[in-house]
Amino acid sequence: MTVVAAPEVRAAQRQIVGTINASGRLNADGLAMWREVNCGEWKATAADLSADLDLLQVPYIIVTAFRFPLATASSKAMREGEEVRIPRKDLGHLLPWMPSLEQVIADIPEDAPRWAFTVFQPRADGMAIAGLALSAEWPSWSKKQARAARLVCAECDYDLRDKAEDRAPFDVRLPEQPKRRRLVCGKCCNDAIDEMERLATLAGKSS
């Protein structure tokens, strides 16, 4: 017996399917839909999408995520947004509403990019690992867009999204701007060993 969905459920299905087709991003971690803060006048907000997913009984999480600044914007700050993410383990809940995703999900390679862009942060007591809060579409940005998002080496302009073994991204900040993220490849910063030694020396002097 066919179950007839309520009109509000069908409306939620149409919006979610349309949003996924227009701007959804699938990767090794799942599916993500990014929405700029205060975008409600122009398109569905993260809150709107979450309400639709609630109706469709699809689990999700909402996180803060940033995109590169627009070329026409006067501000060069990253654009803040909210990203609605459906973890890969929960994508099966979406298939009754969007069956066409089944094969697409099955074809995701295990070495596909994930949500987090991982960087290494040198500290006085060793190396820390952090994930930048970026929109899930970061692997597909052009190099110009990646440069605007400061994902290229500040020294040699190498695109840090490439996974060369000797080009890992290290967050080596200028002493005069200790709060500003500054990514440098391993070749240009000696894998941040010099920076760790500098920070350890400073810590020793202040103790």
Side-chain angles (χ1 to χ4, degrees):
M1 179 178 178
T2 302
V3 178
V4 179
E8 60 269 23
V9 174
R10 287 302 181 197
Q13 178 188 16
R14 286 193 296 273
Q15 177 152 278
I16 289 298
V17 170
T19 302
I20 291 173
N21 284 332
S23 58
R25 294 287 176 175
L26 268 171
N27 62 24
D29 283 335
L31 185 144
M33 296 169 281
W34 187 82
R35 285 295 180 265
E36 191 161 6
V37 170
N38 300 321
C39 70
E41 183 179 352
W42 308 105
K43 56 185 176 180
T45 64
D48 293 331
L49 296 178
S50 66
D52 290 335
L53 290 171
D54 285 338
L55 281 172
L56 301 178
Q57 299 183 3
V58 177
Y60 63 90
I61 56 175
I62 298 179
V63 301
T64 298
F66 292 84
R67 289 192 73 199
F68 54 86
L70 293 175
T72 56
S74 56
S75 172
K76 298 306 178 185
M78 294 285 282
R79 288 184 291 152
E80 182 178 355
E82 291 181 310
E83 195 156 77
V84 182
R85 295 177 174 177
I86 303 172
R88 187 168 180 175
K89 66 181 178 61
D90 294 320
L91 287 175
H93 294 272
L94 190 59
L95 295 183
W97 311 106
M98 196 173 180
S100 60
L101 275 182
E102 184 170 10
Q103 190 58 50
V104 179
I105 294 168
D107 291 340
I108 298 173
E110 286 305 316
D111 61 349
R114 297 183 178 274
W115 285 329
F117 180 85
T118 302
V119 302
F120 298 93
Q121 295 180 324
R123 297 180 180 174
D125 57 351
M127 193 74 70
I129 300 175
L132 302 187
L134 299 176
S135 164
E137 64 182 7
W138 63 262
S140 66
W141 292 345
S142 69
K143 187 171 182 181
K144 182 177 181 180
Q145 292 166 339
R147 188 180 293 113
R150 299 193 295 279
L151 299 184
V152 300
C153 177
E155 297 287 345
C156 70
D157 204 44
Y158 176 80
D159 192 333
L160 294 166
R161 294 172 299 170
D162 296 338
K163 296 182 178 180
E165 290 185 5
D166 59 346
R167 297 278 195 169
F170 293 90
D171 187 4
V172 180
R173 306 187 179 194
L174 296 174
E176 62 270 24
Q177 294 180 314
K179 295 184 178 180
R180 181 180 173 84
R181 173 166 52 86
R182 179 177 175 268
L183 299 188
V184 183
C185 75
K187 267 192 175 182
C188 289
C189 70
N190 189 27
D191 290 335
I193 294 172
D194 299 337
E195 178 65 6
M196 279 193 295
E197 291 176 351
R198 184 185 75 83
L199 294 172
T201 300
L202 286 176
K205 289 179 178 179
S206 62
S207 61

